[in-house]
Amino acid sequence: MVCTLTVGQLKEALGLTEPDPEPTKKEKLTVPEAVEYLNEIGVPITKSTLYRYTMDSTIPFRRWGERKIIFNTTELDNWAREKLK
């Protein structure tokens, strides 16, 4: 019986594969990404609430052009830490 394996399959069978690296955290987030990120770190928030916080300037954000809103993950982490106290 002959078995044909690729190099990747052989490495996996022998336990020689390296684990996938941790995904890198994005530094800049759009509004939908920020909503997802905040929910993942334990701050339940909706898109409309996030927009309201930007209008009230109660959350750190930047504008890119006239309409695009960008969030910095480090600033969101600090804001969330304060909010969860």
Side-chain angles (χ1 to χ4, degrees):
M1 178 177 202
V2 176
C3 183
T4 305
L5 297 175
T6 65
V7 173
Q9 291 170 328
L10 182 59
K11 283 183 177 181
E12 186 177 330
L14 296 173
L16 300 176
T17 57
E18 295 181 20
D20 291 335
E22 289 289 321
T24 56
K25 183 168 76 169
K26 284 180 70 173
E27 189 175 324
K28 307 289 185 200
L29 302 174
T30 62
V31 171
E33 292 170 334
V35 169
E36 182 179 345
Y37 178 74
L38 288 168
N39 281 293
E40 285 175 1
I41 64 171
V43 180
I45 195 166
T46 63
K47 190 174 173 181
S48 61
T49 301
L50 188 60
Y51 275 120
R52 189 179 66 225
Y53 285 171
T54 61
M55 288 177 54
D56 297 341
S57 296
T58 56
I59 193 167
F61 71 97
R62 307 266 189 296
R63 285 206 182 268
W64 187 356
E66 290 183 28
R67 299 179 56 103
K68 183 97 172 169
I69 297 174
I70 301 294
F71 299 91
N72 180 294
T73 53
T74 303
E75 291 174 349
L76 284 179
D77 288 339
N78 294 336
W79 177 83
R81 198 172 306 116
E82 289 296 317
K83 182 135 175 89
L84 293 174
K85 279 187 176 179

